[in-house]
Amino acid sequence: MRIVRVLAAGLLLSAAVACGSGETSNIPVTPVQPGGGGGGNSANITAPTIDSPADDTQTNTLRPTLIVNNATSTGSGGRSYEFQVADNSNFSTAPGALTSAVAVSQSGVPEGSGKTSFTLTSDLLPSTRYYWRARASQAGSTGPWSSSSRLRTQEGSFKSGNQAFDLLTNGQSVSDERRNVSFTFASDANPGCKLEGADSFIRYQISTLSDGEVSFILRRVKPFDSSFNGQVKLFTMQDGAGDFNSNPFRVAVEKRPASEGERLLVAWTAGGTSATAASGGLDWDDHRPYYFKIEWRAGTARVRVFLGETEAAPTFADVSVGYPGAYSPASHNILVGSVMNDSYRDIRASRLYIGPGPRPVQ
């Protein structure tokens, strides 16, 4: 048995190799440079630079073409490129995530003249922000990654795993169930999915989100109307699609009546333990849009409402409530409205996002 000592990045490692003698050899190993692919960078390859799409461009496709300005090197022979596309700027997967952060990893792309391009061969998710980068290789050497750049894919509705985005302004929906609703289009003064009555709802069933967020735009949220007696629920979540009132994972965001000061009430039940909180009096205006953002993380739920179509607008209401147990429904259902015939009718919902957050595209 011969002992082989491997010198790598200043460390001496030993491995046993069967050879029938007792001699020892030292084998130097080229250290891996930061950002390298394991082959080192003896050719002194530089990082390519981003050419297009420009940073944070909204594309009109789900298969964008990525272009970099070529790297340089001191080595000889042809260069090829590796492109990566991921859902975060670290190109890393969070612990416990259901899918890899890197959506695309393509190596062996031959170098072009001055610039090198790669067109994705499979669809990315629509209405989603992605990060991408590239690096060059030559004759066994691998250069560093380029800086990362962002792009936003073609706008459209989708539902996958624990994420969904639903425009609701094109006469369609990716929801799992709809009851007593109609649609108005983006060209309408109040576009979205309209809840026609107290029995109306839009329901999405997703993979469980123990921490996550939902956001959407609501229009036609009226000031006090005596004919709306008992119709209070704007948004609900629950385990399954059955009775809400006995559900161990029930959540409600309610517009309370004038007798209670037109408050926004948040009621949160996790594992059978409930907590509630409410805003002060609110002056609703059914001629403007309201952007709702519901977040639940690490035992705290927060509901914010903004006076516009994004969270960059002024804050209208901000309500937080703590919950002691984990929010972990086995069948996670998210609804605009309610299954209990107490939906706040006539509202129009649009641009709904569900996911671990943050919302990728405004």
Side-chain angles (χ1 to χ4, degrees):
M1 183 75 70
R2 180 163 64 95
I3 301 297
V4 179
R5 292 189 176 92
V6 182
L7 296 172
L11 299 176
L12 183 63
L13 309 177
S14 295
V17 180
C19 64
S21 73
E23 62 183 281
T24 298
S25 299
N26 290 331
I27 303 175
V29 176
T30 302
V32 177
Q33 300 297 321
N41 191 10
S42 59
N44 295 316
I45 305 170
T46 64
T49 57
I50 301 297
D51 180 80
S52 67
D55 186 50
D56 215 22
T57 294
Q58 174 84 61
T59 68
N60 61 359
T61 178
L62 301 181
R63 300 186 182 189
T65 297
L66 311 177
I67 304 176
V68 294
N69 299 302
N70 290 346
T72 62
S73 67
T74 59
S76 60
R79 286 190 294 263
S80 64
Y81 290 76
E82 179 181 1
F83 287 80
Q84 282 190 344
V85 180
D87 66 8
N88 68 77
S89 59
N90 294 322
F91 294 81
S92 60
T93 301
L98 297 178
T99 59
S100 171
V102 178
V104 175
S105 184
Q106 179 65 53
S107 59
V109 177
E111 185 173 77
S113 177
K115 302 177 188 291
T116 298
S117 65
F118 166 62
T119 301
L120 274 66
T121 58
S122 59
D123 289 351
L124 298 173
L125 290 175
S127 302
T128 302
R129 177 177 282 115
Y130 287 94
Y131 299 79
W132 68 278
R133 62 184 182 178
R135 64 181 176 183
S137 296
Q138 182 181 44
S141 293
T142 301
W145 289 108
S146 67
S147 59
S148 66
S149 186
R150 301 169 295 175
L151 62 83
R152 289 174 286 141
T153 51
Q154 183 179 39
E155 192 168 71
S157 301
F158 73 91
K159 188 166 84 72
S160 176
N162 62 5
Q163 285 189 287
F165 179 76
D166 210 354
L167 285 170
L168 297 170
T169 56
N170 56 2
Q172 301 174 357
S173 174
V174 296
S175 56
D176 293 278
E177 184 182 5
R178 297 173 296 281
R179 185 167 71 188
N180 192 18
V181 302
S182 63
F183 291 92
T184 51
F185 289 80
S187 57
D188 192 269
N190 292 292
C193 184
K194 177 184 176 183
L195 303 193
E196 294 284 359
D199 63 338
S200 301
F201 61 77
I202 322 165
R203 181 178 66 84
Y204 302 82
Q205 183 175 344
I206 62 164
S207 301
T208 300
L209 273 173
S210 55
D211 295 276
E213 66 180 67
V214 179
S215 56
F216 49 87
I217 299 168
L218 284 187
R219 289 179 168 87
R220 297 307 305 272
V221 185
K222 295 178 173 60
F224 174 67
D225 185 331
S226 59
S227 70
F228 278 59
N229 185 38
Q231 300 172 36
V232 294
K233 289 188 174 65
L234 301 169
F235 170 86
T236 55
M237 293 199 302
Q238 63 182 82
D239 186 0
D243 179 74
F244 177 82
N245 292 330
S246 61
N247 200 283
F249 294 98
R250 62 186 183 275
V251 171
V253 177
E254 302 181 357
K255 179 184 180 293
R256 302 305 298 176
S259 60
E260 299 181 26
E262 291 283 315
R263 298 180 303 156
L264 192 72
L265 178 73
V266 179
W268 203 280
T269 300
T273 302
S274 300
T276 61
S279 70
L282 300 171
D283 185 16
W284 298 94
D285 180 352
D286 61 344
H287 298 294
R288 72 180 310 152
Y290 294 93
Y291 181 82
F292 281 71
K293 184 172 184 177
I294 299 104
E295 299 173 273
W296 60 101
R297 307 186 192 283
T300 298
R302 185 182 187 189
V303 177
R304 285 179 287 170
V305 184
F306 301 88
L307 291 167
E309 297 186 13
T310 73
E311 62 182 284
T315 300
F316 178 67
D318 190 344
V319 182
S320 294
V321 61
Y323 55 95
Y327 189 75
S328 55
S331 175
H332 198 161
N333 283 258
I334 293 173
L335 301 93
V336 177
S338 162
V339 297
M340 298 303 292
N341 295 324
D342 57 357
S343 300
Y344 192 88
R345 61 180 166 86
D346 203 39
I347 54 175
R348 278 77 160 174
S350 63
R351 303 185 69 84
L352 180 142
Y353 166 75
I354 300 168
R359 182 181 177 113
V361 178
Q362 296 291 344

